[in-house]
Amino acid sequence: MKIHNTLTQQLEELIPLEGNRVRLYTCGPTVYNYAHIGNFRAYLFEDVLRRSIKYFGHDIIQVMNLTDVDDKTIAGAIKAGVPLDAFTRTFKTAFFEDLKTLNVEPAEHYPAATDHVPEMIVLIQKLLAKGHAYQSEDGSIYFSVSSFPAYGKLAHLDMAGLRPGARVQHDEYEKENVADFALWKAWDEKDGDVGWDAPWGRGRPGWHIECSAMATKFLGESFDLHTGGVDNIFPHHEDEIAQSEGASGKPFVRYWMHCAHLVVDGRKMSKSLGNFYTLRDLMSRGYTGREIRYVLMAGHYRQSLNFSFESLDGARSALQRLDEFQDRLGQVAAGSRGEGSVPDWADLAGKRFSAGLADDLNVSESLGALFDMVHAGNRAIDSRTLSSAEAGAVQALLARFDTVLGFLAKPADTVPAEALNLLESRQQARLTKNWAEADRVRNELALLGWVIQDTPQGPKLKRK
Ligand SMILES: [Zn+2]
């Protein structure tokens, strides 16, 4: 499996540092709001990456942090008039619900920053002891960029323009103003009752140190792979490298991968343009998590993704084609013992599917292989040249594809209570031989979109 490494700007073979297990750190959400579809684009890129790593036979340990203390979360809690942890809990819960909706495979660890402040303090102590950090007049602790000559290696910065001694307290800043950044922000009034006591005084950690401390705790001082969106490269990931390598003296991460932006109808997503969408906004317009997943993962992660409602409608018809094919395949495969081997066209598709993923997650190539296979498979079913055993083998191949794609399996149709009650009253009507009432209830169910199927286990409801 080859991946594009931001650090070297090369395609490289992914080889784990230790044994067969890939250790992956993915920067998670700042839980001050519902995550938007641009955020989810990155999380889906990481999901496809994680699933592909497993597809190619590696084990994985993935960590995704939750930033639950920073300027935005504190400001949000104060505005809402609730304690910080109560404020962030709402958005943590929503985040996990959204991941489930999008069928994102859970990471092994989701550490929250507020649970790891002692680890951050230890890391800052190390940096102070090694001369990489200093305390400013207001009590904050800063990383001294000039103490770390490799600074800028990830973002490929020209450090000639650095103004020594310049400092920023904000977590986000521009490349033009490379400056010493805050590891620890001394408490001030804006923080309200949020703060931790450190040997150098009360305050709270900066954003960057959160990730260095939690990544090191769960994955070690040196690990394989670190990802995020392109806007994380500078300063966030550059600063993570400086802090981690400054403290440990070891290489922090071997491979860095970054996914490009999402734009909406060709424009940057923003609230002021009215083209800003959370996952929930799209769901309330009647789109499913499965359709949204399809759109957000269908392009190449290093190309900017142009989101539009047409693309969601396109996903709906693409998924319909896939469902229809799988239904037909199921009919042909019925009764097969799964002993068959796949026909040549499916074998070829399987190889192309894998080759696409192995080529820096070229999902478009893999999807192309899938749809070519559907086309060939439909023709084989039409001409009755697909045996039942072969159909079973193609089903198994699709199931293997779906370990990465995560949208082929139809979500189980959950039957609402209203429909279940109607089904029950139809049964009662039939028991009392009230056929007119039984028919009336059946028609009512049909209007709700459900058909009754009589099975050996009794009547079941199926979506029309
Ligand atoms: Zn991070």
Side-chain angles (χ1 to χ4, degrees), residues 25-28 65 67 207-208 210-212 214 226-228 232 236-237 240 256:
Y25 189 87
T26 49
C27 288
N65 68 295
T67 297
W207 174 36
H208 316 303
E210 295 180 4
C211 282
S212 284
M214 292 188 279
H226 195 315
T227 64
N232 288 148
H236 184 50
H237 290 165
E240 276 189 47
W256 291 84

Short mmCIF file of all heavy atoms in Angstrom, two decimals, residues 25-28 65 67 207-208 210-212 214 226-228 232 236-237 240 256, ligand 1:
data_model
loop_
_atom_site.label_atom_id
_atom_site.label_comp_id
_atom_site.label_asym_id
_atom_site.label_seq_id
_atom_site.Cartn_x
_atom_site.Cartn_y
_atom_site.Cartn_z
N TYR A 25 -2.71 8.23 14.42
CA TYR A 25 -3.31 9.31 15.20
C TYR A 25 -4.06 10.24 14.26
O TYR A 25 -3.52 10.69 13.26
CB TYR A 25 -2.24 10.11 15.96
CG TYR A 25 -2.84 11.10 16.94
CD1 TYR A 25 -3.16 10.72 18.24
CD2 TYR A 25 -3.08 12.42 16.56
CE1 TYR A 25 -3.72 11.62 19.14
CE2 TYR A 25 -3.65 13.32 17.46
CZ TYR A 25 -3.96 12.91 18.74
OH TYR A 25 -4.51 13.80 19.63
N THR A 26 -5.32 10.51 14.60
CA THR A 26 -6.14 11.38 13.78
C THR A 26 -6.67 12.52 14.65
O THR A 26 -7.26 12.27 15.71
CB THR A 26 -7.32 10.58 13.19
OG1 THR A 26 -7.96 9.84 14.22
CG2 THR A 26 -6.84 9.60 12.15
N CYS A 27 -6.44 13.75 14.23
CA CYS A 27 -6.92 14.89 15.01
C CYS A 27 -8.44 14.92 14.98
O CYS A 27 -9.06 14.86 13.92
CB CYS A 27 -6.38 16.20 14.46
SG CYS A 27 -4.62 16.40 14.79
N GLY A 28 -9.04 14.98 16.14
CA GLY A 28 -10.50 14.91 16.23
C GLY A 28 -11.15 16.28 16.35
O GLY A 28 -10.51 17.31 16.15
N ASN A 65 -8.49 12.26 19.13
CA ASN A 65 -8.69 13.06 20.34
C ASN A 65 -9.95 13.91 20.25
O ASN A 65 -10.48 14.17 19.17
CB ASN A 65 -7.50 14.00 20.55
CG ASN A 65 -7.47 15.06 19.47
OD1 ASN A 65 -7.28 14.75 18.30
ND2 ASN A 65 -7.70 16.31 19.83
N THR A 67 -11.00 17.62 21.44
CA THR A 67 -10.55 18.88 22.03
C THR A 67 -11.73 19.50 22.77
O THR A 67 -12.64 20.05 22.16
CB THR A 67 -10.00 19.82 20.95
OG1 THR A 67 -8.85 19.20 20.37
CG2 THR A 67 -9.60 21.16 21.54
N TRP A 207 -3.73 24.21 22.31
CA TRP A 207 -4.33 23.12 21.50
C TRP A 207 -3.26 22.11 21.06
O TRP A 207 -3.46 20.90 21.14
CB TRP A 207 -5.02 23.75 20.29
CG TRP A 207 -5.55 22.78 19.27
CD1 TRP A 207 -6.11 21.55 19.52
CD2 TRP A 207 -5.61 22.98 17.85
NE1 TRP A 207 -6.51 20.97 18.32
CE2 TRP A 207 -6.21 21.83 17.29
CE3 TRP A 207 -5.21 24.02 17.00
CZ2 TRP A 207 -6.41 21.68 15.91
CZ3 TRP A 207 -5.44 23.88 15.64
CH2 TRP A 207 -6.02 22.72 15.10
N HIS A 208 -2.10 22.63 20.59
CA HIS A 208 -1.12 21.73 19.98
C HIS A 208 -0.57 20.70 20.98
O HIS A 208 -0.37 19.55 20.65
CB HIS A 208 0.03 22.53 19.38
CG HIS A 208 -0.44 23.73 18.61
ND1 HIS A 208 -1.32 23.63 17.57
CD2 HIS A 208 -0.16 25.06 18.76
CE1 HIS A 208 -1.57 24.85 17.10
NE2 HIS A 208 -0.89 25.72 17.79
N GLU A 210 -2.00 19.38 23.40
CA GLU A 210 -2.99 18.32 23.68
C GLU A 210 -2.70 17.10 22.82
O GLU A 210 -2.65 15.97 23.31
CB GLU A 210 -4.42 18.81 23.34
CG GLU A 210 -4.90 19.95 24.21
CD GLU A 210 -6.32 20.39 23.85
OE1 GLU A 210 -6.94 19.75 22.97
OE2 GLU A 210 -6.80 21.36 24.45
N CYS A 211 -2.50 17.34 21.52
CA CYS A 211 -2.31 16.22 20.60
C CYS A 211 -0.97 15.54 20.85
O CYS A 211 -0.89 14.31 20.81
CB CYS A 211 -2.44 16.69 19.16
SG CYS A 211 -4.19 16.92 18.69
N SER A 212 0.10 16.31 21.10
CA SER A 212 1.40 15.68 21.37
C SER A 212 1.31 14.76 22.59
O SER A 212 1.81 13.64 22.56
CB SER A 212 2.47 16.75 21.63
OG SER A 212 2.86 17.35 20.42
N MET A 214 -1.39 13.35 24.07
CA MET A 214 -2.28 12.19 23.96
C MET A 214 -1.76 11.18 22.93
O MET A 214 -1.89 9.98 23.12
CB MET A 214 -3.70 12.65 23.64
CG MET A 214 -4.30 13.41 24.82
SD MET A 214 -6.05 13.80 24.62
CE MET A 214 -5.95 15.25 23.59
N HIS A 226 0.07 9.86 10.99
CA HIS A 226 -0.70 10.96 11.58
C HIS A 226 -1.42 11.65 10.45
O HIS A 226 -0.83 11.93 9.41
CB HIS A 226 0.27 11.91 12.30
CG HIS A 226 -0.38 12.88 13.24
ND1 HIS A 226 -1.51 13.60 12.93
CD2 HIS A 226 -0.02 13.28 14.50
CE1 HIS A 226 -1.82 14.40 13.96
NE2 HIS A 226 -0.94 14.21 14.92
N THR A 227 -2.71 11.93 10.66
CA THR A 227 -3.49 12.53 9.58
C THR A 227 -4.27 13.74 10.07
O THR A 227 -4.37 14.00 11.26
CB THR A 227 -4.53 11.53 9.03
OG1 THR A 227 -5.45 11.24 10.08
CG2 THR A 227 -3.88 10.25 8.55
N GLY A 228 -4.85 14.43 9.11
CA GLY A 228 -5.71 15.57 9.39
C GLY A 228 -6.08 16.24 8.08
O GLY A 228 -5.78 15.72 7.00
N ASN A 232 -4.56 21.63 8.90
CA ASN A 232 -3.86 21.24 10.13
C ASN A 232 -2.34 21.25 9.97
O ASN A 232 -1.61 21.22 10.96
CB ASN A 232 -4.26 19.83 10.58
CG ASN A 232 -5.67 19.75 11.15
OD1 ASN A 232 -6.33 18.74 11.01
ND2 ASN A 232 -6.13 20.81 11.78
N HIS A 236 -0.71 23.56 13.30
CA HIS A 236 -0.97 22.54 14.30
C HIS A 236 0.02 21.37 14.25
O HIS A 236 0.66 21.04 15.26
CB HIS A 236 -2.41 22.05 14.16
CG HIS A 236 -2.83 21.07 15.20
ND1 HIS A 236 -2.65 21.30 16.55
CD2 HIS A 236 -3.41 19.83 15.12
CE1 HIS A 236 -3.10 20.25 17.24
NE2 HIS A 236 -3.56 19.35 16.39
N HIS A 237 0.15 20.75 13.08
CA HIS A 237 1.02 19.57 13.02
C HIS A 237 2.50 19.94 13.09
O HIS A 237 3.31 19.19 13.64
CB HIS A 237 0.69 18.76 11.75
CG HIS A 237 -0.66 18.10 11.83
ND1 HIS A 237 -1.30 17.57 10.74
CD2 HIS A 237 -1.47 17.88 12.91
CE1 HIS A 237 -2.47 17.05 11.14
NE2 HIS A 237 -2.59 17.24 12.43
N GLU A 240 3.08 20.24 16.68
CA GLU A 240 3.11 18.93 17.33
C GLU A 240 4.49 18.29 17.18
O GLU A 240 5.03 17.69 18.11
CB GLU A 240 2.07 17.99 16.70
CG GLU A 240 0.67 18.12 17.25
CD GLU A 240 -0.22 17.01 16.72
OE1 GLU A 240 0.18 15.84 16.75
OE2 GLU A 240 -1.32 17.33 16.24
N TRP A 256 2.89 11.36 7.26
CA TRP A 256 1.81 12.33 7.49
C TRP A 256 0.92 12.35 6.25
O TRP A 256 1.42 12.44 5.13
CB TRP A 256 2.37 13.73 7.71
CG TRP A 256 3.11 13.90 9.00
CD1 TRP A 256 4.42 13.59 9.23
CD2 TRP A 256 2.60 14.43 10.22
NE1 TRP A 256 4.75 13.89 10.53
CE2 TRP A 256 3.64 14.41 11.16
CE3 TRP A 256 1.34 14.92 10.62
CZ2 TRP A 256 3.47 14.86 12.47
CZ3 TRP A 256 1.19 15.38 11.92
CH2 TRP A 256 2.25 15.35 12.83
ZN ZN B 1 -4.31 17.46 16.62
#
